Amino acid sequence: MLSESDLGALAITLKLALLTTLILLLLGTPLAWWMARSRWRFKFLLEAVVALPLVLPPTVLGFYLLVALGPHGPVGGLMESLGGRSLAFTFTGLVIGSVFYSMPFVVQPLQNAFTAVGRRPLEVAATLRASPLDRFFTVAIPLARPGFFTAAVLGFAHTVGEFGVVLMIGGNIPGETQVVSIAIYDHVEGLEYVHAHWLSGGLLLMSFLMLIAVYALNRRFSVVQP
Amino acid sequence: MTIEARFRIDRDDFSLDVDLSVPSRGITALFGPSGCGKTTLLRAIAGLEYHHDGFLKVGDRTWQDSDCFVPPYRRPLGYVFQEASLFAHLTVRRNLEYGIKRVPAAERKVSLQQAIELLGIGHLLERRPARLSGGERQRVAIARSLAVSPRLLLMDEPLAALDVNRKQEILPYIESLHNDLDIPVIYVSHSPDEVARLADHLVLLEAGRVTASGAISDMLTRLDLPLAHGSDAEALIEATVAGHDEAYHLTHLDFTGGRFTVVRKELPVGSAVRLRVAARDVSLTLEWQSGTSILNIFPAIVDEVIADGEARMTVRLMVGGVPMLARITRKSASVLGLKAGKLVYAQAKSVALLS
């Protein structure tokens, strides 16, 4: 069965994934909107940066974040000089790392969804007296709804599954930065296969259920589209 | 009151240079081949595209000049796109309400109910756009654009994406806009048939330039323009229903040049109709013919004669001030001695009623 520290890891994992997803939806929506609409010549550079975590080994990303967030890094140093503490080995640090790590999984579905909406519905809304902000909230977002759902679920699931980044910048502090994927690793290291089974099975089931929900709902949404 | 539009657009593959003044009542057709700049001009008028070298004034309101550009959502216009472009996430009713909600109550002249009735879409209100036919969708789109009480309605080939039957389904509704609402319409089309049915005013565009513009009946019969030279060349005549001949089952239609008699139509006396007389259906005689089966004969004055190829000539006639065309052989023209100012009799073999 699950031990108390396993439950703690589970709670931290869910909290981390929820918070990361929320932040990514807030930051990713304007970014994806801009990337879908902009005709800026160098847009591809930004697209490459957003996609980087897809190909970068998580330990590399984690290493650079550790350097940046640690007491001698630019961010961590700034925090310390302001009387705080460096962000390495803290939950906040984990959230920052996860936001970078899961960014493409949120931004890309949103960008695709906004691109699929196209210009026409927004032009129609403009001729129906809707201001740019009004059009964004009443036309672009509702029409991109399947993309939002996909983005949220992928961002959440991907954050739940991360390992390398968390290990690098979060360490493995039970009750503070120990997430499920690392707890499983610890169990295996300690030959506690029963615990590892429970946690792994739980994650497997959760991931599968979330993907089922994505595909089922996207099919329903796509029927509504003309 | 007029609509004045001046736009200069220079792109690598396309240029538009237009200085246009159209009456702000009735339907003005922008007519020309694909790629001539009709849609670009319409989008510039709507403000959907910004071109810095532009001037646009509708009535007493300036929508664009060198130091002002009213964004499209602040222009009191309606726009019907080639594809209906309904909001897929809203029902028909909420599509219609989308614009109305954003128009201040004091500016609402067309009610939702009026728009619904004009386009005959009352039975579709709770449906989703995906469950409408192409024709129904376009009717909803037209109603939606009317429901914002536009001071100017822009229509970009609203029938082009539809098959012939759907076109016939929608044309009467667009024609009725004309009579039921006093909203000026700019209608982009490359279909001569639509133009003949709908337009009051015609602007000819070619390669980004306005080649001619004027009242539809003049434009169709001007011999210096291509419209009068095609095999479908025709004249339009506005007439009113004068009465019915019950014995022979005929209807009399009066216009300033005389009276047409056609096979009976169920139209109330006094209603306005538009007639179309093809140039190839008009023959000319020097004297009034009595022993003829043709009912519609009018005295006319030859206005202009011009050769159409080796064998044919096109004759522009004035029938009581109304222009008509006749397509005859060069030989006939020579035998009759046709020249400007000559009095002849025009016999119309067939007449089509447009509305």
Side-chain angles (χ1 to χ4, degrees):
Chain A
M1 277 303 290
L2 296 176
S3 69
E4 199 172 308
S5 78
D6 286 344
L7 287 173
L10 198 61
I12 288 170
T13 305
L14 293 179
K15 194 170 122 192
L16 176 67
L18 271 176
L19 212 58
T20 302
T21 308
L22 204 68
I23 292 170
L24 273 176
L25 284 177
L26 287 176
L27 295 179
T29 301
L31 180 63
W33 173 250
W34 182 83
M35 296 211 306
R37 308 263 304 170
S38 166
R39 292 181 187 157
W40 186 44
R41 202 143 49 106
F42 299 109
K43 188 173 76 171
F44 66 94
L45 291 176
L46 195 73
E47 287 177 318
V49 170
V50 169
L52 210 50
L54 290 175
V55 293
L56 205 62
T59 41
V60 174
L61 181 67
F63 172 67
Y64 283 122
L65 282 168
L66 179 65
V67 170
L69 300 179
H72 305 296
V75 182
L78 182 74
M79 292 297 290
E80 287 206 332
S81 70
L82 291 174
R85 54 182 280 213
S86 93
L87 297 172
F89 309 111
T90 65
F91 183 74
T92 313
L94 275 195
V95 172
I96 294 172
S98 305
V99 162
F100 280 102
Y101 182 57
S102 297
M103 182 160 322
F105 293 86
V106 173
V107 172
Q108 287 187 349
L110 289 181
Q111 186 186 349
N112 293 340
F114 285 136
T115 305
V117 169
R119 278 170 192 275
R120 179 51 58 78
L122 297 155
E123 288 184 346
V124 171
T127 67
L128 295 172
R129 309 283 185 281
S131 67
L133 205 63
D134 189 355
R135 312 200 266 276
F136 178 71
F137 283 112
T138 58
V139 176
I141 287 192
L143 285 176
R145 195 174 45 177
F148 274 90
F149 190 71
T150 306
V153 172
L154 288 184
F156 185 88
H158 193 251
T159 307
V160 167
E162 78 180 86
F163 181 82
V165 178
V166 175
L167 197 61
M168 293 297 279
I169 54 177
N172 190 1
I173 306 165
E176 195 172 342
T177 63
Q178 190 189 55
V179 298
V180 172
S181 59
I182 291 174
I184 293 170
Y185 180 75
D186 277 356
H187 286 314
V188 174
E189 287 278 275
L191 296 176
E192 301 158 338
Y193 275 39
V194 176
H195 290 282
H197 263 303
W198 274 103
L199 278 179
S200 300
L203 276 198
L204 178 70
L205 189 69
M206 190 170 80
S207 306
F208 188 54
L209 287 177
M210 283 195 291
L211 285 180
I212 286 177
V214 171
Y215 286 113
L217 277 165
N218 272 355
R219 203 185 54 181
R220 213 193 74 210
F221 281 131
S222 66
V223 175
V224 177
Q225 305 287 331
Chain B
M1 197 164 101
T2 52
I3 297 158
E4 287 171 63
R6 281 198 295 278
F7 288 100
R8 270 241 302 277
I9 302 164
D10 266 308
R11 290 192 210 130
D12 294 340
D13 53 341
F14 173 77
S15 83
L16 183 83
D17 188 351
V18 165
D19 184 347
L20 197 60
S21 173
V22 295
S24 63
R25 52 175 303 118
I27 299 183
T28 298
L30 293 180
F31 179 75
S34 304
C36 70
K38 310 180 292 272
T39 297
T40 307
L41 178 57
L42 202 69
R43 291 174 59 85
I45 291 173
L48 292 174
E49 282 176 23
Y50 172 74
H51 302 285
H52 70 97
D53 196 354
F55 174 85
L56 178 64
K57 198 172 168 192
V58 176
D60 54 356
R61 307 261 183 89
T62 302
W63 287 1
Q64 182 178 352
D65 63 20
S66 53
D67 41 41
C68 102
F69 177 79
V70 180
Y73 69 94
R74 295 226 175 91
R75 300 182 181 196
L77 56 81
Y79 200 110
V80 181
F81 293 84
Q82 192 168 326
E83 312 79 28
S85 312
L86 300 180
F87 297 129
H89 62 297
L90 300 178
T91 59
V92 168
R93 180 192 295 281
R94 303 227 1 240
N95 262 282
L96 295 170
E97 287 168 351
Y98 189 93
I100 294 180
K101 280 195 286 192
R102 289 164 171 81
V103 174
E107 289 169 30
R108 289 180 202 158
K109 296 197 188 77
V110 183
S111 69
L112 180 62
Q113 205 47 45
Q114 213 177 344
I116 291 169
E117 276 166 24
L118 261 171
L119 276 301
I121 51 171
H123 58 298
L124 306 174
L125 293 178
E126 305 312 324
R127 289 211 209 153
R128 291 260 173 183
R131 297 197 42 233
L132 301 178
S133 73
E136 287 169 341
R137 271 183 221 168
Q138 198 55 289
R139 270 153 65 194
V140 173
I142 294 171
R144 183 175 65 175
S145 69
L146 286 175
V148 296
S149 306
R151 284 162 52 96
L152 173 63
L153 181 61
L154 305 172
M155 303 180 99
D156 185 7
E157 308 211 38
L159 306 182
L162 302 173
D163 62 41
V164 177
N165 291 333
R166 294 284 155 268
K167 276 183 196 168
Q168 295 309 322
E169 170 194 327
I170 295 184
L171 269 168
Y173 292 110
I174 301 181
E175 278 170 341
S176 68
L177 298 185
H178 216 245
N179 309 325
D180 298 349
L181 297 173
D182 188 23
I183 298 172
V185 179
I186 299 183
Y187 188 99
V188 162
S189 178
H190 68 265
S191 153
D193 195 57
E194 281 169 37
V195 169
R197 283 189 66 156
L198 298 172
D200 301 303
H201 194 86
L202 182 61
V203 176
L204 289 184
L205 272 176
E206 202 156 323
R209 307 284 184 278
V210 174
T211 49
S213 117
I216 180 84
S217 55
D218 283 332
M219 294 287 287
L220 288 179
T221 56
R222 264 174 62 178
L223 298 187
D224 59 335
L225 298 177
L227 292 170
H229 296 286
S231 58
D232 301 330
E234 63 189 2
L236 290 183
I237 292 156
E238 307 289 346
T240 50
V241 177
H244 301 287
D245 180 335
E246 302 300 343
Y248 288 110
H249 211 70
L250 299 171
T251 294
H252 299 303
L253 306 164
D254 281 357
F255 73 111
T256 49
R259 164 173 287 190
F260 277 100
T261 303
V262 298
V263 173
R264 172 155 186 150
K265 299 279 181 217
E266 294 310 320
L267 289 168
V269 171
S271 57
V273 290
R274 181 176 272 198
L275 303 172
R276 111 204 256 186
V277 183
R280 60 170 180 271
D281 290 336
V282 176
S283 58
L284 303 177
T285 59
L286 290 180
E287 281 115 41
W288 181 277
Q289 298 282 303
S290 49
T292 171
S293 66
I294 292 177
L295 290 174
N296 299 308
I297 305 178
F298 309 99
I301 294 166
V302 175
D303 183 59
E304 202 181 346
V305 186
I306 209 167
D308 249 333
E310 298 289 306
R312 293 178 196 285
M313 307 211 75
T314 301
V315 185
R316 185 178 203 258
L317 306 160
M318 296 305 283
V319 183
V322 177
M324 260 196 239
L325 293 176
R327 176 79 38 83
I328 58 173
T329 60
R330 200 151 60 86
K331 180 176 180 188
S332 308
S334 152
V335 169
L336 297 181
L338 293 186
K339 59 177 194 295
K342 193 170 177 79
L343 180 72
V344 293
Y345 291 90
Q347 304 184 323
K349 200 167 65 188
S350 129
V351 182
L353 235 72
L354 289 181
S355 52

